[in-house]
Amino acid sequence: MAMPRPTAAQFAYGSCTVIFSTLAMLLLSRTSSGPGVALIAVAALALGLLVAMTVPLPGTRTVANTPARRPDADREPVRMPSPARVSATAGESTRGRAA
């Protein structure tokens, strides 16, 4: 089974994590020995890989399973007037204004 290709977001998040975590760990540990720097580099690479692999892929979004909302039982439906009544009322009001 082939591994899917990483997305641009995975590259960006992973790279930024490696760079910033390496700098932070080097500054906080104040190490200057070769094995210490190598250990920090390996730890930063592992952290960057972990972050890159946890970035959600574009097609694998999870949606919460929530039930559809039902209208409240105590609310009454809105009654619309019939179209014939609306046009008759509108005609009377325009004639009344013109006269």
Side-chain angles (χ1 to χ4, degrees):
M1 185 165 102
M3 189 172 174
R5 296 181 64 171
T7 62
Q10 288 174 315
F11 274 125
Y13 282 122
S15 300
C16 288
T17 301
V18 169
I19 292 168
F20 290 124
S21 63
T22 302
L23 288 174
M25 285 189 279
L26 284 173
L27 289 173
L28 291 173
S29 69
R30 295 183 182 174
T31 187
S32 59
S33 67
V37 172
L39 181 66
I40 288 174
V42 169
L45 285 173
L47 186 62
L49 182 63
L50 177 70
V51 167
M53 296 311 289
T54 56
V55 172
L57 295 174
T60 59
R61 194 174 75 174
T62 58
V63 178
N65 190 8
T66 57
R69 186 174 174 199
R70 293 183 294 167
D72 296 332
D74 59 342
R75 295 174 68 183
E76 293 183 23
V78 176
R79 300 199 184 256
M80 299 295 292
S82 65
R85 186 172 187 170
V86 171
S87 62
T89 311
E92 290 171 4
S93 62
T94 54
R95 285 187 209 129
R97 279 189 234 151

